[in-house]
Every structure is written in C-alpha cells, then in structure tokens.
C-alpha cells in the first residue's frame, strides 16, 4: 500500500495541485434513526491531561535504542538539531515538545504550521545527506520500508549521524514509535503520556464499535485507471476494523490492486473515498460503468474521509479513526469533548 500511495502522491504533486484545506468531519451527537439505544464513548482531548503522564523519568544519555528495522542506534547526548524525514515523525516531535529542536524536514511536510517553513532536506525519492550534515544534525528520524532510500540512511550513518528508522505496521506500532521517538529526542515522559492517551482513546472506540454491526467496507485509495484498496494484514485494514467495518482487501499483503469483478462480488455496503482529497466524488462513483449493482452505490453510502489523518501514523491518528467511524457508522453518537478538528494539508503532500 505504501508504494501505491507514493504513486498517487507523485501524480498529484506533478500536477501542482493547489493546497486544499479539508475540514475533518466528525459526527457529534447524531442520534440513530432506528430509535434504539445509541452507543457513546468518552474521548479525551489533546494534549493528554497531566494525570495521564507516567512517573518514569526521561532516559539518560548516551542511549542505545533498537529501531523498527532492528538496528542498534546509539545517541551520544540529548539531540539539539533533529532532522525528520517523514511527516509522521515531524508531527510526533512537535507533539511531544521537541519541535523547537527540529532543524529540517521534507518538502511534503504539512503539519504543524511551524514545520512548514523549515528547510527541506528530502523529496519523495531522495535525501540530501550533505545538507543534513551541514546543519550540524545530531539525530535523524527516518521512515522504513523504503520510505526513505536505504542507501541514504546508510550514508548518513557512515558519516556518524545517528539515524532512527521507524515503520509502524499496525496501531500498536504507532504508539510504540511515539514512545521510541520520545526516548531518542529526550522527551520520554511527554511521548509516553501521548501514547497512553491515544491508546485509551483507541480502546474506547473499539469498545463502542465491538457490539455494532460490521458492514463490508471498500476503502478507495485510487480508481483513476485501476482500482486500489487496502491490502491484507495492513495498517489501514486494522483502522477500518476498529472503526466498526469489515474491510474488503485485495487478498494480498503486497498488491493493492483489486479487480472490479472481485469488488462487485464482495458487494460493499459502504464505500469510503480516501481519494476524496484528489477530487473524487460520490457522483463520479455512481456514474462508473459496472458499479451500479454494488449495494453502497444503490443506497448512497459513499463517504469521503480525510485520508491524511486516516493513514498517517502520528498524533492525529485518533482524528482519522473518528472520521472513519463517522463514515461507517453515522448512527453512533459521540459526546462533546472530542479532539478539535484540524484542517488537512495539501493532498499532494499527504504522505504517511
């Protein structure tokens, strides 16, 4: 899925699409039409309350950590000049209070606003090692599964710069990576507090959807030529399941393409448009040849979501989950006190 997402984003980037601010649509207090008892869930706000903070002290340096690729990374002292090579790690660093020490990011970082003016040291396909060295960088947070070129990571390490590679394969991995980045940046307490708060919110949403029906859900990544959706045993599949859906997957852990015949046979009750930020609309889906027999098309259950928050493994992931929940289960009412909706960034920049 990651490779396909990169193809979509590169296409959008090449078209030089203008920045779009897509408000996150979160259902609050919408009663079920059936008149049956409405499930509810208590969601804490960001930042997490001080009472959620662990009592453990921050790790001391020098510190050796094992990253998500199994590499032992030694960080001699608390880093003061951090480079982030993924939008997710940038969001994590700012969320845990290390933002003032971030000296550079990528040209597709879009949040928080304070990160946007920072120097760019990476593109979709390359990393500028010389520029990173020139900034006096003492820690790099990179992305795994070839998100950042392995050769670039190896080069930075050969130059004596600690590089911590993160790659969350599931929701538990996201929370673990938040804590891992916090340890590397010397902000363990804030990171552990954030991870604990997010974990509690995920558990609360699981609880509210566990007793609800799980309709078949097709999450559309792209359908401009071929049709792409979530793969088996993937991060996105888990997000849909937690939000109370039965995800339709490709039947492969690596190939995100699904045939129209297979999609029609699966007959989703809900179509979730992850490509809504690229201009895909419900009307366009209804007009597609061969799609008229699908249940979701017949009932009009075609809903756009903010794919940036749904697929980016960072602090706003709960917002993405709430967006999915709103799309799949509009009958589930949630109380006030939710995290404040945050505008999405440019769809051309929506890297995980």
């Amino acid at each position: 899925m990651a490779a396909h997402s990169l193809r979509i984003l590169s296409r959008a980037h090449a078209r030089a699409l203008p920045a779009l601010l897509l408000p996150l649509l979160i259902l609050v207090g919408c009663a079920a039409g059936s008149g049956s008892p409405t499930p509810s869930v208590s969601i804490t706000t960001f930042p997490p309350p001080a009472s959620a903070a662990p009592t453990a002290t921050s790790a001391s340096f020098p510190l050796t950590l094992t990253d998500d690729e199994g590499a032992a990374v030694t960080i001699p002292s608390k880093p003061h000049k951090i480079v982030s090579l993924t939008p997710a790690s940038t969001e994590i660093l700012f969320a845990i209070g290390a933002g003032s020490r971030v000296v550079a990011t990528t040209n597709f970082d879009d949040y928080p606003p304070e990160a946007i003016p920072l120097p760019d040291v990476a593109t979709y396909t390359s990393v500028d090692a010389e520029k990173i060295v020139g900034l006096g960088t003492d820690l790099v947070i990179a992305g795994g599964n070839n998100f950042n070129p392995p050769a670039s990571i190896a080069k930075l390490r050969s130059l004596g710069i600690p590089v911590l590679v993160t790659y969350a394969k599931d929701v538990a991995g996201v929370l673990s990576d938040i804590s891992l980045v916090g340890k590397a940046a010397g902000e363990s307490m804030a990171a552990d507090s954030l991870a604990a708060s997010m974990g509690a919110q995920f558990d609360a949403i699981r609880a509210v959807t566990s007793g609800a029906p799980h309709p078949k859900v097709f999450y559309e990544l792209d359908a401009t030529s071929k049709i792409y959706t979530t793969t088996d045993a993937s991060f996105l599949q888990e997000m849909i399941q937690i939000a109370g859906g039965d995800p339709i997957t490709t039947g492969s852990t690596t190939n995100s393409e699904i045939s129209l015949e297979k999609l029609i046979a699966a007959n989703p009750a809900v179509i979730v448009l992850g490509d809504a930020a690229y201009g895909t609309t419900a009307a366009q889906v209804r007009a597609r040849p061969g799609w008229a027999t699908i249940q979701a098309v017949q009932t009009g259950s075609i809903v756009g979501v903010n794919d940036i928050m749904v697929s980016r493994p960072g602090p706003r992931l709960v917002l993405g989950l709430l967006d999915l929940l709103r799309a799949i289960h509009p009958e589930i009412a949630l109380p006030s006190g939710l995290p404040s909706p945050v505008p999405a960034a440019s769809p051309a920049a929506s890297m995980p």
Side-chain angles (χ1 to χ4, degrees), residues 137-156:
T137 305
D138 48 13
L139 175 65
V140 171
I141 309 293
N145 195 36
N146 295 316
F147 188 95
N148 298 128
S152 297
I153 293 172
K155 181 175 182 180
L156 289 168

Side-chain angles (χ1 to χ4, degrees), residues 46 84 86-96 109-112 141 166-179 181 191 194-199 201-202 235 239 307-321 339 342 351-352:
F46 286 111
S84 171
T86 77
S89 57
T90 299
E91 290 198 27
I92 292 169
L93 287 163
F94 275 86
I96 64 176
D109 273 66
D110 49 46
Y111 190 84
I141 309 293
T166 61
Y167 176 62
K169 298 179 181 179
D170 50 28
V171 170
V174 175
L175 304 182
S176 177
D177 279 350
I178 289 172
S179 292
V181 171
L194 174 59
S197 176
M198 289 178 64
Q201 293 179 61
F202 269 94
F235 177 86
M239 287 284 287
D307 182 69
I308 296 172
M309 295 184 189
V310 171
S311 62
R312 182 175 293 177
R316 297 185 295 166
L317 195 61
V318 173
L319 293 172
L321 183 59
V342 183
M351 294 293 287

Side-chain angles (χ1 to χ4, degrees), residues 186-283:
E187 300 290 350
S188 291
M189 292 183 67
D192 290 346
S193 178
L194 174 59
S197 176
M198 289 178 64
Q201 293 179 61
F202 269 94
D203 289 343
I205 295 169
R206 282 190 186 95
V208 82
T209 61
S210 62
H214 279 50
K216 287 188 178 180
V217 175
F218 168 65
Y219 191 100
E220 182 172 291
L221 292 170
D222 184 35
T224 51
S225 55
K226 298 179 180 180
I227 306 170
Y228 296 95
T229 190
T230 181
T231 55
D232 292 11
S234 65
F235 177 86
L236 181 53
Q237 179 187 24
E238 184 184 11
M239 287 284 287
I240 295 169
Q241 290 170 334
I242 297 172
D246 178 12
I248 294 170
T249 62
T250 63
S252 167
T253 57
T254 57
N255 183 10
S256 57
E257 182 183 343
I258 187 172
S259 68
L260 179 57
E261 293 74 18
K262 184 172 181 178
L263 177 60
I264 291 173
N267 196 25
V270 181
I271 294 176
V272 177
L273 299 178
D275 52 357
Y278 298 95
T280 302
T281 65

